[in-house]
């Protein structure tokens, strides 16, 4: 399946719909989830148009992958999550329960999260 340019995160990237911005650089955008599952619930997305983790891993440039990984810590520091800890989740594909087909990582924190 090709990348769907009308998915909601693509529209946020094009500024067709607003977001509550947390962090942005040349490679990534991070914004608060509209239905937060924790006191802090940020969505980190690459600006490149990748469907899921496999697409990102296979086709993103080294610069994009490094920037994405480094942004996790930048956001952790900015939101004071680093000391107390946080959770990263990336839902991928049908079995992963991915709803928005633009690669993203959820950054969850702000309280002790339940374990599974
Ligand atoms: P997924 O299930 O694909 O991993 O997660 C998609 C996430 O996007 C969900 O947590 C959902 O609440 C969030 N979301 C869906 N639409 C919007 C939107 O328009 N704005 C923001 N900020 N988040 C959204």
């Amino acid at each position: 399946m090709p990348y769907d340019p009308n998915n909601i995160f693509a529209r946020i990237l094009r500024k067709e719909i607003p977001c509550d911005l947390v962090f942005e650089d040349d490679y990534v955008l991070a914004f608060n989830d509209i239905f937060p599952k924790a006191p802090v619930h940020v969505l980190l997305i690459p600006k490149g148009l990748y469907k899921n983790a496999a697409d990102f891993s296979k086709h993103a440039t080294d610069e994009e992958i490094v920037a994405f990984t480094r942004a996790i810590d930048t956001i952790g520091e900015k939101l004071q999550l680093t000391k107390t800890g946080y959770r990263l989740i990336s839902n991928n594909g049908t079995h992963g329960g991915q709803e928005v087909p633009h690669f993203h990582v959820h950054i969850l924190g702000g309280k002790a999260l339940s374990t599974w």
Side-chain angles (χ1 to χ4, degrees):
M1 281 242 297
Y3 179 86
D4 171 12
N6 292 318
N7 77 74
I8 200 84
F9 294 170
R11 297 185 63 204
I12 287 174
L13 279 170
R14 291 196 298 268
K15 304 194 187 307
E16 291 171 6
I17 59 171
C19 71
D20 185 10
L21 188 71
V22 171
F23 176 72
E24 179 174 16
D25 66 14
D26 289 345
Y27 298 100
V28 306
L29 195 69
F31 49 90
N32 287 311
D33 196 293
I34 204 166
F35 298 121
K37 309 281 192 307
V40 175
H41 187 170
V42 172
L43 298 166
L44 172 62
I45 70 173
K47 288 188 172 177
L49 307 183
Y50 303 105
K51 293 181 290 184
N52 52 34
D55 191 19
F56 185 68
S57 176
K58 284 192 181 80
H59 300 119
T61 64
D62 290 358
E63 287 82 4
E64 288 176 301
I65 292 170
V66 168
F68 191 86
T69 306
R70 293 250 158 82
I72 294 167
D73 182 59
T74 302
I75 293 161
E77 290 287 342
K78 182 173 182 174
L79 301 184
Q80 300 182 310
L81 299 174
T82 308
K83 280 191 185 139
T84 49
Y86 54 90
R87 181 171 294 164
L88 303 177
I89 295 176
S90 183
N91 300 320
N92 280 272
T94 307
H95 284 192
Q98 182 177 4
E99 293 169 9
V100 180
H102 180 111
F103 175 55
H104 55 281
V105 168
H106 300 251
I107 303 173
L108 296 144
K111 70 170 188 180
L113 302 170
S114 60
T115 54
W116 64 62

